[in-house]
Amino acid sequence: MKINELLNEAPKKAKPDNRNWVQKADDAVRGSFPMKAIQTMQGAIGKPGPDEKKVDKTKTVTKKGTKIVSKQVPNKKIEVLDPSNMPAVAVFKTPRGETYSWDPVKKLWNGNTEDGRVLKPLDVKRGVKFYNSIKDPKMKDANESINVKGNILKEGGNIFQGTADFDQKIIPDMMKQINGVMTKAGVKALPIGSGATPQAGKMSGDLDMIADAGQLIKNLKAPDVKTAKIELEKMFQQAGFETKKTGQIVHVKTNVGDSAQQVDIMVVDNGETASKFHVHDIPKGSPYKGVHKQIMIADLAKEKGFKWSPYKGLVNRDTNELVSNDLDNIAKQLIGPNATASDLGSVESILAKMPSAKEIVDKYEADPNSAWMKKKPQQENNEIIDALRRI
């Protein structure tokens, strides 16, 4: 469409129009049919579209440029001790650096140390007491809470400006950039989740990877894991990468092709072992993700009197001592003597080997507000939306 046509398409004004031609063209594009079609499509598929008036209240946008500055947004005080009516995101850090997050499935506060060790959960009342008592916004911040990865792996939000969803076919190139720096520290970052088994044509918002804390501490001659993460972040910065550190994660912005991507490197104890707990074998077209498999394993462990830690393995429910970190052995403990590690690869494989586990699925599927249901991928069948998405 030509500039003159765009200007003619802009809304007519009764008062004299003193805008220059660039401003007129910009306003015209915002109101044009193609832009409205894109906005309609974006609204239907749940992704944000252009909005010239609404601004995120947690952001401050400067007029003279495109810089966006995040504000501290402390979580609200929890007034009622009702496990069924807790905030969607409730996370706090203690002065010792321990992170506790509310688990809506188990109705408990799950805790982790900075180096990834699992702490004994807190009950509702005790957790809320700690949560409400913390005054420092840096220890109770809604923005950071969304990106905290707790007892069951949760997907992080966007950390960097300018990153975009990417086709999983570029994951090998992203890993090459990451491990080009990691090898200088003598440690390899391992992909987890769907990134461990990338499929061309499948889109992802970020790439999750795990690095071994012990190896980093040793090779970087760091006194503790906190210092090791700081040194690791410096290495990426010296190599020219944009980074940010939150909790146990070092976020790195890679650049493959014409766009930028986000990589989340979790620094945890026994990283190589922990990474195996986050590798899934999800059947094509499955309505479930890796997080659903993790929830099922956690429930099966609870039924057997254990507790499941996606970073340590099967642990004693009372002492948090390790029972087993061998997936074949864990499968036998939770499913049966003939089970193997592959039977824990997905919801479907668990059900195939243990049909009685369908009760777990039915329990969560019956509650539309459960974390299980909220994590299920939205199925889009609208042909017009599918066509617009391919534009």
Side-chain angles (χ1 to χ4, degrees):
M1 185 176 286
K2 297 180 180 179
I3 292 294
N4 288 338
E5 293 174 343
L6 288 172
L7 294 178
N8 290 333
E9 188 176 336
K12 304 298 182 183
K13 295 181 178 287
K15 296 180 180 180
D17 193 343
N18 296 321
R19 297 172 301 160
N20 60 40
W21 71 270
V22 175
Q23 292 171 322
K24 292 179 181 179
D26 182 63
D27 288 345
V29 169
R30 291 177 186 274
S32 65
F33 173 76
M35 184 57 71
K36 289 179 180 178
I38 291 173
Q39 289 174 324
T40 299
M41 178 272 288
Q42 290 172 322
I45 63 175
K47 294 187 177 181
D51 192 332
E52 58 188 275
K53 293 182 179 180
K54 293 182 180 179
V55 178
D56 188 340
K57 295 179 180 178
T58 67
K59 309 282 185 180
T60 298
V61 182
T62 59
K63 290 289 184 180
K64 294 183 179 180
T66 58
K67 184 179 179 182
I68 297 179
V69 183
S70 294
K71 290 181 178 179
Q72 291 281 356
V73 184
N75 290 336
K76 295 180 180 180
K77 184 177 181 179
I78 299 175
E79 303 286 355
V80 182
L81 287 175
D82 181 1
S84 301
N85 195 30
M86 291 283 283
V89 176
V91 177
F92 67 87
K93 292 182 181 178
T94 69
R96 291 189 297 181
E98 299 166 340
T99 300
Y100 283 90
S101 58
W102 173 249
D103 186 336
V105 176
K106 298 181 179 179
K107 312 296 186 187
L108 291 171
W109 293 84
N110 291 319
N112 292 84
T113 61
E114 286 193 337
D115 59 2
R117 289 184 293 107
V118 178
L119 299 170
K120 186 175 181 179
L122 302 177
D123 60 32
V124 181
K125 184 177 180 179
R126 185 177 167 91
V128 169
K129 183 178 179 180
F130 277 119
Y131 179 90
N132 288 339
S133 68
I134 290 178
K135 306 297 182 184
D136 187 349
K138 293 180 181 178
M139 293 184 181
K140 189 169 65 175
D141 183 290
N143 288 332
E144 185 176 357
S145 296
I146 296 171
N147 299 308
V148 171
K149 302 202 174 185
N151 202 34
I152 290 180
L153 186 67
K154 299 177 178 66
E155 296 179 2
N158 290 334
I159 293 293
F160 307 106
Q161 294 295 319
T163 57
D165 289 359
F166 54 86
D167 191 315
Q168 288 187 357
K169 69 181 180 182
I170 72 169
I171 284 180
D173 292 324
M174 293 168 63
M175 290 172 52
K176 187 175 181 180
Q177 290 188 12
I178 295 297
N179 281 315
V181 176
M182 294 294 298
T183 51
K184 296 177 183 178
V187 179
K188 187 175 182 180
L190 302 168
I192 60 175
S194 60
T197 53
Q199 301 175 28
K202 187 175 180 179
M203 303 299 290
S204 289
D206 57 21
L207 173 61
D208 290 316
M209 304 185 80
I210 277 183
D212 187 271
Q215 290 180 13
L216 272 179
I217 291 173
K218 179 181 177 181
N219 296 344
L220 296 178
K221 295 181 172 57
D224 50 44
V225 67
K226 184 176 181 179
T227 306
K229 285 182 289 186
I230 292 173
E231 293 301 316
L232 179 63
E233 185 182 23
K234 286 180 181 177
M235 291 180 66
F236 276 101
Q237 291 171 348
Q238 291 168 358
F241 291 90
E242 186 178 345
T243 69
K244 184 173 182 180
K245 184 168 61 64
T246 59
Q248 70 194 76
I249 306 171
V250 176
H251 308 275
V252 181
K253 186 177 182 180
T254 58
N255 289 276
V256 177
D258 298 327
S259 61
Q261 307 83 31
Q262 178 177 317
V263 178
D264 298 337
I265 305 173
M266 287 181 285
V267 181
V268 300
D269 287 337
N270 302 313
E272 187 171 350
T273 298
S275 68
K276 296 175 182 178
F277 302 148
H278 298 290
V279 176
H280 319 303
D281 185 18
I282 311 297
K284 188 175 182 179
S286 171
Y288 305 111
K289 298 180 181 179
V291 67
H292 296 101
K293 180 194 84 170
Q294 298 281 15
I295 292 173
M296 282 198 75
I297 294 176
D299 273 34
L300 290 174
K302 185 176 181 180
E303 290 177 0
K304 299 289 185 177
F306 302 115
K307 187 167 61 174
W308 171 245
S309 165
Y311 299 103
K312 292 175 63 176
L314 205 60
V315 298
N316 184 289
R317 178 161 288 276
D318 297 320
T319 66
N320 278 330
E321 292 181 357
L322 182 67
V323 174
S324 177
N325 60 10
D326 178 84
L327 277 173
D328 278 319
N329 181 264
I330 292 171
K332 288 176 171 54
Q333 295 254 24
L334 300 184
I335 298 178
N338 296 322
T340 63
S342 62
D343 295 316
L344 293 175
S346 66
V347 170
E348 287 84 355
S349 63
I350 293 174
L351 292 176
K353 196 70 176 181
M354 189 179 187
S356 61
K358 180 88 166 34
E359 294 179 3
I360 297 174
V361 177
D362 292 341
K363 175 182 67 175
Y364 292 119
E365 297 274 341
D367 181 4
N369 296 317
S370 65
W372 175 284
M373 293 300 290
K374 290 178 180 178
K375 288 293 184 180
K376 288 185 70 173
Q378 296 299 314
Q379 302 296 322
E380 298 288 355
N381 297 316
N382 190 302
E383 294 181 3
I384 296 177
I385 292 175
D386 290 340
L388 285 171
R389 188 184 287 114
R390 291 192 292 269
I391 292 177

